[in-house]
């Protein structure tokens, strides 16, 4: 992985340029969102886009890993190295990219969109953006270890991604999810990232409205962030707990990918 990164720096440069350009486009679309009734939905939409983009931008890594897995298997059988050192090296190579890109995107989109102006809120937002990417990257690594070939990997990645982001809480609240699908809601990393960002954005926020929008003299339909969180069923979300859940998901997925890769390697020794 390290040699491939060094030999092909152009891919990294293109990734950086793509992230910056996309961030500028998104920031210009959601430029300086107002704290009015329309701004409520626009802010929720901005957060949702950041979360989904962070995951979808990594889906192509599944196919790449499947191709790399073939080379690793051959070199393992030749006795060049074992799974442990390879997987540790791959994780250490992946993490800088998975951390840097969401930070870069967040630094541009957050301030251009005029999200919650608190400095602490900005760093919490960045933290969830990074956790979203590293968990997504770990999920795709696990899928890459399970997929028998690139074709299957490229089918699995978008299907799994779409399944999980449908249960992020943006489209359906937990009260509206059928009982037979609720388990996906509880294991969706999109849910924890999105809900953490939502609470970070709306706690303490206030919103105004025009006279025509008032439900009663001087009363807006949505006057504060607490109402928004109550509408989405997020009034009991604790940010640090959701962050710990994501850290746990990252570790579980990485360990799972390592175990599967170890097992597959043993099977190929026959």
């Amino acid at each position: 992985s390290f040699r491939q990164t060094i030999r092909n720096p152009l891919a990294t440069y293109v990734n950086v340029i793509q992230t910056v350009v996309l961030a500028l486009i998104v920031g210009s679309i959601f430029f300086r969102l107002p704290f009015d009734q329309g701004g409520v939905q626009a802010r929720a939409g901005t957060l949702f886009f950041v979360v989904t983009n962070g995951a979808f931008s990594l889906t192509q890594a599944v196919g790449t890993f499947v191709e790399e897995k073939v080379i690793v298997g051959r070199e393992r059988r030749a006795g060049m190295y074992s799974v442990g050192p390879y997987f540790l090296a791959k994780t250490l190579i992946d993490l800088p990219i998975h951390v840097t890109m969401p930070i870069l995107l967040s630094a541009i989109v957050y301030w251009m969109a005029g999200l919650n102006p608190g400095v602490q809120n900005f760093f919490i937002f960045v933290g969830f953006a990074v956790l979203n990417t590293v968990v997504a990257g770990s999920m795709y690594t696990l899928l890459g270890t399970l997929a028998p070939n690139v074709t299957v990997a490229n089918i699995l990645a978008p299907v799994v991604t779409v399944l999980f982001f449908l249960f992020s809480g943006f489209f359906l609240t937990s009260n509206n999810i059928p009982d037979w699908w609720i388990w996906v809601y509880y294991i969706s990393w999109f849910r924890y990232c999105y809900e953490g960002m939502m609470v970070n954005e709306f706690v303490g926020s206030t919103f105004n409205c025009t006279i025509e929008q008032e439900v009663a003299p001087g009363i807006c339909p949505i006057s504060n962030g607490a109402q928004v969180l109550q509408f989405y069923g997020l009034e009991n979300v604790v940010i640090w707990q959701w962050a710990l859940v994501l850290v746990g998901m990252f570790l579980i997925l990485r360990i799972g990918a390592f175990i599967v890769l170890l097992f597959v390697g043993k099977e190929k020794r026959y």
Side-chain angles (χ1 to χ4, degrees), residues 113-150:
L115 299 178
N116 196 314
V119 175
Q120 178 181 353
N121 298 90
F122 168 70
F123 284 109
I124 291 174
F125 176 89
V126 171
F128 274 106
V130 170
L131 286 171
N132 171 56
T133 307
V134 297
V135 173
S138 300
M139 171 62 76
Y140 299 141
T141 298
L142 177 59
L143 290 178
T145 62
L146 293 170
N149 53 59
V150 175

Side-chain angles (χ1 to χ4, degrees), residues 69-110:
K69 185 175 64 173
V70 175
I71 299 173
V72 171
R74 183 169 61 246
E75 293 178 346
R76 283 182 61 202
R77 289 190 293 274
M80 297 178 65
Y81 50 78
S82 61
V83 173
Y86 158 73
F87 197 77
L88 177 61
K90 175 174 177 55
T91 299
L92 294 177
I93 291 299
D94 286 346
L95 280 178
I97 299 297
H98 293 173
V99 170
T100 303
M101 294 304 130
I103 291 177
L104 189 59
L105 182 85
S106 299
I108 297 173
V109 172
Y110 195 90

Side-chain angles (χ1 to χ4, degrees), residues 227-262:
Q227 292 175 280
V228 179
L229 297 178
Q230 185 176 18
F231 174 79
Y232 282 97
L234 307 180
E235 62 270 23
N236 296 320
V237 170
V238 181
I239 286 179
W240 67 267
Q241 291 180 355
W242 265 222
L244 286 179
V245 170
L246 290 166
V247 172
M249 285 183 170
F250 166 74
L251 295 175
I252 291 171
L253 290 169
R254 283 283 163 178
I255 293 171
F258 171 75
I259 293 173
V260 173
L261 190 61
L262 190 65

